């Protein structure tokens, strides 16, 4: 289990110019707090970095022991059952999961579903049925893959179990962190309800947006606010459209008055719902029975009620005129020009029993991702609205950036907890994360919430024109698509 013995520990610490350590505490080169998707990916990636091979890694998971996931049983189930928590993983994330051997497990068993097109529209489609403001993304390559969070975790834990350098401690929620003031000292972690403490040359906080590790960083400032919204999630059965060329591979998102409503494809007849709405509406939806919930959801996806509002009809007509002008004078996507875009969203016919749930939404960003012998990744460093599906992808990008910086630093002869390497990670990660976070927050404020000051017709017109502009300007669409992929633009 790669726990350093006393003499090896002293030699390693002396090479790193660390002079203060305790022989009574267990030592690991790297301690990762939080065994979620990002924490597990971090452990796997570090274990496979050439310069870090053989270093001892401790993963502290607050939950109970995860039994080996039976992927074959999942694959052979006649009636596919899905979890209500899924992720839309982008190309960069897929490359990361491939590099640690997890994606091969997921892909070979067919436990992922490609998104070949995304169709986005705003409420108030009126007479056009949403065509005037339908924004579509499609590509020769798949835009993203929808994968259940449990599947990703299962594949990562399978890889972790095969790595001798990784030790996993379950039921080990971090209670206290002590960070050094100097590189000559080590970081110390204490687990709740246990007397055991661990010393480490590098502590990586992946313990969620309520991170204990983040709060231990000296001088840390955490910028955060709540959106006053909840995300209602569920697994749905839909009426399959045999005429759609992308049947089973289309993601739909409607910017409704109270927040975005997304339907993500799991297979030809099953979708995952992420419905952002107000606290009051989320509570109302929770009290509905399944049949009432299905009716409310189909009403939310439909334009029929909105089409009777004269001011919204006028806004839709104006958006149609703007769309025609933009299509004439902007560079237009030929693929969409030559085919009729299907603007009718799927009809929900059933909701999987006990799949309905909800959780609060907010924004958060740590001004410091690093400190002496400490780094933050994932939700410990940042929290984002789910409307663009970028939350977990930002976390996986942190894993890529941090592992690259540590690998290069150790190859150059530096200590694993070298502050310069950590600062380089912070710079690279924030340059990637902050623009996406601010962009998503801006979209949420414009499209993702109700506005009691501006009249609905004006809001609808502004939203529709924005979508029409993006749809007509292929350069803008490509930039947005490339940025969402996570790959260098």
């Amino acid at each position: 289990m790669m726990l350093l013995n006393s003499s090896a520990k002293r030699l390693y610490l002396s090479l790193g110019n660390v002079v203060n350590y305790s022989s009574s505490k267990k030592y690991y080169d790297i301690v990762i707090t939080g065994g979620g998707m990002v924490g597990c990916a971090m452990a796997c990636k570090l274990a496979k970095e050439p310069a870090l091979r053989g270093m001892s890694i401790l993963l502290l998971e607050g939950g109970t022991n995860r039994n080996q996931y039976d992927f074959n049983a999942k694959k052979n189930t006649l009636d596919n059952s899905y979890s209500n928590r899924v992720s839309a993983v982008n190309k960069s994330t897929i490359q990361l999961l491939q590099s640690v051997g997890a994606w091969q497990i997921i892909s070979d068993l067919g436990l992922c579903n490609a998104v070949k097109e995304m169709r986005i529209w705003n409420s108030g489609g009126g007479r056009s049925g949403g065509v005037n403001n339908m924004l579509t993304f499609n590509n020769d390559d798949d835009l993203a893959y929808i994968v259940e969070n449990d599947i990703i975790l299962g594949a990562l834990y399978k890889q972790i179990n095969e790595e001798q350098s990784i030790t996993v401690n379950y039921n080990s929620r971090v209670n206290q962190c002590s960070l050094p003031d100097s590189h000559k000292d080590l970081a110390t972690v204490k687990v709740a309800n246990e007397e055991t403490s661990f010393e480490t040359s590098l502590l990586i906080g992946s313990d969620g947006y309520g991170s204990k590790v983040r709060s231990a960083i000296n001088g840390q400032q955490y910028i955060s606010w709540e959106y006053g919204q909840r995300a209602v999630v569920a697994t749905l059965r839909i009426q399959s459209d045999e005429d759609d060329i992308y049947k089973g591979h289309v993601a739909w998102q409607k910017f409704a008055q109270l927040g975005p409503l997304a339907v993500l494809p799991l297979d030809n007849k099953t979708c995952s719902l992420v419905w952002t709405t107000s606290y009051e509406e989320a509570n109302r939806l929770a009290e509905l029975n399944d049949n009432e919930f299905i009716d409310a959801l189909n009403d939310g996806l439909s334009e029929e009620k909105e089409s009777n509002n004269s001011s919204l009809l006028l806004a839709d007509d104006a958006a149609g005129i703007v769309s025609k002008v933009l299509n004439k004078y902007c560079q237009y996507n030929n693929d969409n020009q030559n085919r009729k875009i299907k603007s009718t969203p799927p009809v929900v016919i059933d909701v999987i029993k006990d799949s309905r749930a909800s959780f609060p939404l907010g924004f958060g960003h740590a001004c410091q991702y690093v400190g002496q012998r400490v780094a933050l990744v994932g939700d410990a460093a940042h929290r984002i609205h789910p409307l663009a599906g970028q939350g977990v992808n930002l976390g996986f990008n942190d894993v890529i950036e941090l592992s690259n910086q540590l690998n290069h630093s150790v190859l150059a002869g530096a200590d694993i907890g070298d502050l310069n390497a950590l600062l380089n990670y912070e710079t690279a990660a924030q340059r990637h994360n902050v623009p996406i976070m601010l962009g998503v927050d801006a979209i949420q404020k414009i499209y993702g919430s109700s506005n009691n000051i501006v009249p609905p017709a004006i809001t609808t017109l502004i939203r529709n024109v924005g979508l029409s502009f993006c749809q007509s300007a292929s350069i803008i669409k490509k930039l947005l698509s490339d940025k969402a992929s996570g790959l260098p633009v």
Side-chain angles (χ1 to χ4, degrees), residues 188-313:
T188 303
V189 177
K190 187 174 182 179
V191 176
N193 302 323
E194 289 188 18
E195 296 298 324
T196 307
S197 293
F198 302 97
E199 285 187 326
T200 182
S201 293
L202 178 60
L203 174 62
I204 299 177
S206 181
D207 49 341
Y209 69 86
S211 172
K212 290 277 189 181
V213 177
R214 184 185 66 233
S215 62
I217 296 177
N218 188 34
Q220 178 67 271
Q221 291 185 342
Y222 185 65
I223 301 171
S224 66
W225 55 80
E226 298 298 317
Y227 285 119
Q229 295 177 318
R230 295 185 70 87
V232 177
V233 296
T235 306
L236 313 172
R237 298 290 187 197
I238 63 168
Q239 185 175 305
S240 181
D241 187 348
E242 300 298 329
D243 297 329
D244 196 325
I245 63 171
Y246 291 132
K247 180 183 68 173
H249 299 283
V250 178
W252 298 83
Q253 179 158 282
K254 176 183 179 179
F255 289 115
Q257 289 297 325
L258 294 178
L261 195 165
V263 179
L264 309 174
L266 294 169
D267 59 39
N268 288 349
K269 297 181 179 180
T270 315
C271 289
S272 182
L273 171 71
V274 184
W275 188 354
T276 301
T277 189
S278 65
Y279 276 91
E280 294 78 13
E281 180 65 7
N283 291 335
R284 186 187 76 82
L285 292 172
E287 294 175 357
L288 301 179
N289 63 40
D290 284 352
N291 289 332
E292 292 170 337
F293 181 81
I294 292 169
D295 290 339
L297 179 54
N298 282 322
D299 286 344
L301 288 168
S302 172
E303 297 290 342
E304 292 180 2
K305 291 184 178 180
E306 296 164 355
S307 64
N308 296 323
N309 188 313
S310 59
S311 61
L312 295 182
L313 286 172

Side-chain angles (χ1 to χ4, degrees), residues 111-389:
L111 299 176
C112 57
N113 191 47
V115 177
K116 298 184 179 297
E117 183 168 83
M118 185 163 190
R119 299 169 187 168
I120 305 170
W121 80 109
N122 183 48
S123 60
R127 282 181 283 265
S128 74
V131 172
N132 284 344
N133 61 87
M134 178 73 72
L135 172 61
T136 63
F137 290 96
N138 53 59
N139 204 320
D140 293 336
D141 298 324
D142 299 323
L143 295 174
Y145 280 84
I146 308 300
V147 191
E148 295 167 83
N149 292 356
D150 287 344
I151 296 291
I152 298 175
L153 268 175
L156 288 169
Y157 270 105
K158 189 175 189 302
Q159 296 305 104
I160 285 174
N161 291 336
E162 296 175 0
E163 289 288 346
Q164 293 186 350
S165 61
I166 303 175
T167 302
V168 183
N169 281 11
Y170 296 98
N171 298 308
S172 298
R173 193 174 300 278
V174 172
N175 184 46
Q176 186 177 350
C177 301
S178 178
L179 302 179
D181 295 324
S182 165
H183 71 280
K184 293 186 177 183
D185 295 314
L186 297 172
T188 303
V189 177
K190 187 174 182 179
V191 176
N193 302 323
E194 289 188 18
E195 296 298 324
T196 307
S197 293
F198 302 97
E199 285 187 326
T200 182
S201 293
L202 178 60
L203 174 62
I204 299 177
S206 181
D207 49 341
Y209 69 86
S211 172
K212 290 277 189 181
V213 177
R214 184 185 66 233
S215 62
I217 296 177
N218 188 34
Q220 178 67 271
Q221 291 185 342
Y222 185 65
I223 301 171
S224 66
W225 55 80
E226 298 298 317
Y227 285 119
Q229 295 177 318
R230 295 185 70 87
V232 177
V233 296
T235 306
L236 313 172
R237 298 290 187 197
I238 63 168
Q239 185 175 305
S240 181
D241 187 348
E242 300 298 329
D243 297 329
D244 196 325
I245 63 171
Y246 291 132
K247 180 183 68 173
H249 299 283
V250 178
W252 298 83
Q253 179 158 282
K254 176 183 179 179
F255 289 115
Q257 289 297 325
L258 294 178
L261 195 165
V263 179
L264 309 174
L266 294 169
D267 59 39
N268 288 349
K269 297 181 179 180
T270 315
C271 289
S272 182
L273 171 71
V274 184
W275 188 354
T276 301
T277 189
S278 65
Y279 276 91
E280 294 78 13
E281 180 65 7
N283 291 335
R284 186 187 76 82
L285 292 172
E287 294 175 357
L288 301 179
N289 63 40
D290 284 352
N291 289 332
E292 292 170 337
F293 181 81
I294 292 169
D295 290 339
L297 179 54
N298 282 322
D299 286 344
L301 288 168
S302 172
E303 297 290 342
E304 292 180 2
K305 291 184 178 180
E306 296 164 355
S307 64
N308 296 323
N309 188 313
S310 59
S311 61
L312 295 182
L313 286 172
L314 182 61
D316 182 59
D317 291 340
I321 296 172
V322 173
S323 179
K324 291 178 181 178
V325 173
L326 290 172
N327 290 344
K328 182 177 180 180
Y329 292 104
C330 292
Q331 182 182 358
Y332 193 71
N333 186 312
N334 291 328
D335 291 339
N336 288 335
Q337 191 176 30
N338 295 331
R339 72 178 179 88
K340 182 177 176 61
I341 299 171
K342 176 175 172 53
S343 61
T344 306
V347 176
V348 179
I349 59 176
D350 196 10
V351 58
I352 303 303
K353 186 177 180 180
D354 298 327
S355 69
R356 292 161 55 188
S358 71
F359 54 90
L361 302 176
F363 177 98
H365 189 253
C367 295
Q368 295 173 255
Y369 284 15
V370 303
Q372 286 286 358
R373 300 200 173 278
V374 65
L376 303 175
V377 294
D379 287 351
H382 41 74
R383 183 185 180 199
I384 190 173
H385 197 286
L387 68 86

